[in-house]
Amino acid sequence: MTETNDMNDGWSTHSSHWGAFSARWDGRALEVEPDAGDPAPSPILENFTDALRHKARIERPMVRQSWLDKTGAERTFDGAFVELPWDEALDLLAAELSRVHAGYGAAAIFGGSYGWASAGRFHHAQSQIHRFLNVAFGGYVRSVNSYSAGASAVILPHVLGSFEALSRRNVTWEQVSEHTDTVLAFGGMALKNSMVASGGISRHVERDAMQKAAQRGTRFYCISPLRDDLPEQASATWLPIRVGTDVALMLGLAHSLVAENLHDRDFLARYCTGYEIFERYLQGLDDGQPKHAGWASGITGMAAAEIVALARQAARGRTLVTVSHSLQRAQYGEQPVWMGAVLAAMLGQIGLPGGGYNYALGALGHTGRQVNAVPIPTMPQGRNGVEEFIPVARISDMLLHPGQPFEYNGRTLRYPDIKLVYWAGGNPFHHHQDINRLRRAFNVPQTIVVHETAWTASARFADIVLPATMTLERDDIGAAATDPRLIAMRKVAPPVGEARDDFEIFAALARRLGVEQAYTEGRDSRQWLEHLYETTRAALEAKGWDAPAFDEFWRRGELALPSEPDDGGLLRAFRDDPDAHKLPTPSGLIEIFSSTIASFDYADCPGHPTWLPATDQPTPRHSLTLIANQPATRLHSQLDFGRYSQSSKIAGREVVRLNPADAQSRGIVAGDIVRIFNDRGACLAAAAISDAAAAGVIHLPTGAWYDPLPDGGDRPLCVHGNPNVLTRDIGTSRLAQGCTGQVTVVECEKYAGPIPPIRAFDPSAPVKRRRVTPSPADGDGAATERRQA
Ligand code: PGD
């Protein structure tokens, strides 16, 4: 299909999680042009320009030498790899998968394989790996929920409705710009986050919507320790709250509403259950502590008068409460999500246009949009017959504690005993917390397999590394349920080296395992694209809309998808008629008190929203609170070597922001290389001084590729600036067990030692090319069992 490139001067339409674009490759340089219809394209597109042939790309299948030789040596990031021809690597892997499956069963294979990979709907790494493991072995140990919304995805269905309905099918940006008077944005709504939407995004509307609203008079409040968590176009008032204290502020606001009789009693009586129990807590009837503005002031650092004034402002006109993902990516992260909804319920505007509660509005480009009226192409994953699963962020616990019990959402489960980890399309040594602990955990399984486009730390730590094509090297279809365009993602360049598509790799493995037909259904990549497209086309045709044949869609490069009318979703229907449209909660009402959650008897997630201070508080040794949030110059760790990401670094290092007072008291000036540390680990970063970070806060975004000093012992220094060497690996609570990577406490000092070079993007060099004679299938995994012991 690449011949279509020639029809347009070599330009090909394409798409990514951060925007639709066209690209042209002349064999040396890549030009990228954003989609002409996008009002605010993301600068992250620039990261593609030097990615195709970067030295970090993986060109050939590689196998860890010590794994081949069964030495039982611990895995390291500097281990030698042997380059193998594809056929040998695939034979070896097929034999190893068969060995593990035959010896231990499918519940010994972890295929949770979390990660964002690339935007196309067919070459969707998660779907491909899950489909393969389902077809080949009847299933695998999966992971549930996400690193983005680990706590909210579990708490919301108990108290208000599904995560999907409350985040993505709720208040639209159009409603905000037309109706909203006040936005209380807990955690802000930074444009760097809404730049991104999984599956792709062709129109970035958030900046202009906030500007339009602000120009009409909407008052935005950026409730965050970072001023730029709302864009300047929102003309927001910044309320630099102490990190992790939003629930106390929400309670202070709630108490002020009651004190001034500004809460909506009718709404609470008609649409909610359990308000009386919560009000006892609010008034301090049982614990002796009313949660008044003065109390909240002592916790949040905001003046009591400011809290009372904010409550009055919220009770005037149309008010929208939003709570960002970041607030729940922390210990007790369920609480701000729930309390935000309760605050909105007390204001009585849930379900009104532009008012009430929208969880995570602006957290991704999927939110605040109208939903498509037709389905988008989706790769079927098959059926997973294995019951065992983990909440996604419990990966280290699972590997380190096989067979041990853990609690989750009212159930006691056990961690499975994993022998083989198979990952495609994610970077756990970027995304998981407490990387030094993760390294110990990843030394437990007998075999680790990774498909990667580049030598990430996760690839370096694997035993079998298979080179995957990157998105620009294959044809695909880009689409998201909330984006009005279906994009023909045409191949822009041939694959680097011998890289193959994940689909091709799994098809070749399936052939070796005797299940090729079941995996491919007899289709090649092009036939799959046509097949997946047909669902969308047929739905368009049935509704009488433009529904071109696949070839015509491919020639045009994109296709407009119609949207459902903006009907306000679940909450509007509920408000209009709560008897006919009950919420999908146990009572059918908004649960301000949940008897289900109360029955779990979790002190870390009681039966109503509660102020629970994090157990990780600043101390004289570690006196700063680290915010490790999403980066602005790349998506997660993707293309960290790309031009835009690199242009933001100082001396090749990730930039950490410090408040001027904190920098001065430590003798740090802009551009200094600093060491950030706590008892879990340490990393280097380059200092920027900014009053956009509140005093006591240090801001280091995620995504700088992990780059440990060789021979650095148990807790090697990351010389590049990956904050996950510092973060805590604990669940949000026993309810959701979500990721808590957003905040932790650290100390920071000017780095005195010689500055080590950055090696994160150097390819992992092969030691030699050789033929493998004994297959691990003949062995018994004894060496690795020794390592486990
Ligand atoms: P990515 O960098 O997107 O991070 O974690 P995630 O693992 O999703 O990793 C995707 C990987 O897929 C990249 O290495 C890329 O090269 C590879 N890839 C791309 N395309 C393909 C393909 O077609 N095939 C294959 N095989 N590979 C491909 C993100 C996660 O991090 C998320 S979603 C969140 S919300 C969390 N956020 C935080 C946070 O706020 N704070 C901390 N401390 N930690 C976090 N971690 C989480």
Side-chain angles (χ1 to χ4, degrees), residues 331-335 407 597 600-607 610 612 731-737:
Q331 192 179 19
Y332 314 130
E334 294 83 358
Q335 302 308 311
E407 285 174 84
I597 294 178
F600 299 157
D601 202 19
Y602 294 152
D604 51 5
C605 189
T610 304
L612 300 169
T732 48
S733 79
R734 284 175 285 172
L735 186 87
Q737 297 281 8

Side-chain angles (χ1 to χ4, degrees), residues 375-672:
I376 56 167
T378 305
M379 187 69 193
Q381 299 188 8
R383 194 183 156 273
N384 186 349
V386 172
E387 280 186 6
E388 284 91 335
F389 69 89
I390 55 163
V392 67
R394 303 280 37 88
I395 174 97
S396 292
D397 285 355
M398 172 186 74
L399 296 175
L400 289 167
H401 303 296
Q404 292 200 9
F406 68 98
E407 285 174 84
Y408 170 69
N409 204 10
R411 298 168 66 189
T412 302
L413 304 166
R414 274 182 199 282
Y415 288 122
D417 189 356
I418 298 299
K419 305 295 181 197
L420 185 146
V421 170
Y422 202 143
W423 222 288
N427 185 4
F429 280 92
H430 143 64
H431 70 227
H432 194 61
Q433 287 58 64
D434 196 349
I435 284 181
N436 292 318
R437 182 169 189 255
L438 183 70
R439 193 191 58 237
R440 290 198 294 282
F442 263 58
N443 251 310
V444 174
Q446 296 175 2
T447 301
I448 297 178
V449 188
V450 163
H451 296 191
E452 247 301 347
T453 63
W455 280 110
T456 60
S458 305
R460 284 167 188 274
F461 212 69
D463 300 313
I464 300 179
V465 181
L466 300 180
T469 50
M470 68 179 290
T471 179
L472 298 166
E473 297 165 340
R474 59 201 184 209
D475 291 323
D476 211 330
I477 299 174
T482 47
D483 191 71
R485 294 285 182 283
L486 196 73
I487 307 286
M489 295 170 63
R490 298 173 182 154
K491 179 172 173 173
V492 175
V496 71
E498 297 174 13
R500 293 186 182 178
D501 302 344
D502 294 298
F503 170 74
E504 262 189 274
I505 300 173
F506 287 127
L509 279 173
R511 192 175 317 132
R512 284 163 171 78
L513 296 168
V515 292
E516 183 181 13
Q517 174 61 27
Y519 178 69
T520 65
E521 296 181 19
R523 297 186 190 96
D524 63 16
S525 293
R526 176 175 173 111
Q527 288 163 332
W528 267 108
L529 292 185
E530 290 180 7
H531 174 71
L532 297 178
Y533 172 78
E534 182 55 22
T535 317
T536 304
R537 199 206 60 78
L540 285 168
E541 189 175 62
K543 292 192 182 236
W545 281 306
D546 181 23
F550 180 81
D551 285 345
E552 172 62 8
F553 155 64
W554 200 256
R555 196 189 58 74
R556 289 190 207 168
E558 64 173 49
L559 181 63
L561 300 178
S563 317
E564 295 282 10
D566 180 6
D567 63 0
L570 171 84
L571 296 178
R572 178 87 51 82
F574 170 65
R575 183 179 190 102
D576 289 347
D577 187 353
D579 298 323
H581 302 284
K582 291 188 181 313
L583 292 180
T585 59
S587 60
L589 299 168
I590 299 169
E591 300 225 350
I592 294 178
F593 176 84
S594 159
S595 34
T596 308
I597 294 178
S599 74
F600 299 157
D601 202 19
Y602 294 152
D604 51 5
C605 189
H608 59 71
T610 304
W611 163 241
L612 300 169
T615 51
D616 191 19
Q617 294 292 336
T619 63
R621 277 181 65 227
H622 302 128
S623 64
L624 296 170
T625 304
L626 171 76
I627 295 189
N629 63 359
Q630 304 301 326
T633 58
R634 57 188 170 256
L635 169 66
H636 309 311
S637 69
Q638 294 199 28
L639 307 181
D640 184 30
F641 48 77
R643 191 168 299 163
Y644 187 59
S645 179
Q646 287 297 313
S647 70
S648 71
K649 306 210 181 204
I650 298 177
R653 260 146 261 262
E654 196 60 22
V655 171
V656 63
R657 287 197 298 179
L658 289 137
N659 181 275
D662 298 318
Q664 198 183 16
S665 63
R666 290 167 178 78
I668 294 169
V669 297
D672 275 351

Side-chain angles (χ1 to χ4, degrees), residues 191 207 210-211 214 220 227-236:
L191 292 182
R207 181 198 65 189
M210 284 192 244
Q211 183 159 36
F220 288 88
R227 186 174 58 214
D228 37 20
D229 271 343
L230 267 182
E232 59 189 50
Q233 287 81 3
S235 307

Side-chain angles (χ1 to χ4, degrees), residues 17-18 37-40 164-165 167-176 191 193-197 200-209 358 360-372 480-485 563-569:
H17 296 309
W18 47 95
D38 190 340
E164 181 74 13
S167 61
R168 298 188 179 181
R169 291 161 191 254
N170 195 348
V171 176
T172 57
W173 286 112
E174 237 171 84
Q175 290 176 34
V176 172
L191 292 182
N193 298 334
S194 50
M195 282 285 169
V196 168
I201 177 167
S202 64
R203 306 286 182 269
H204 291 91
V205 301
E206 294 76 7
R207 181 198 65 189
D208 294 351
N358 196 133
L361 182 66
L364 285 169
H366 299 295
T367 64
R369 311 276 176 138
Q370 282 167 252
V371 177
N372 294 335
T482 47
D483 191 71
R485 294 285 182 283
S563 317
E564 295 282 10
D566 180 6
D567 63 0

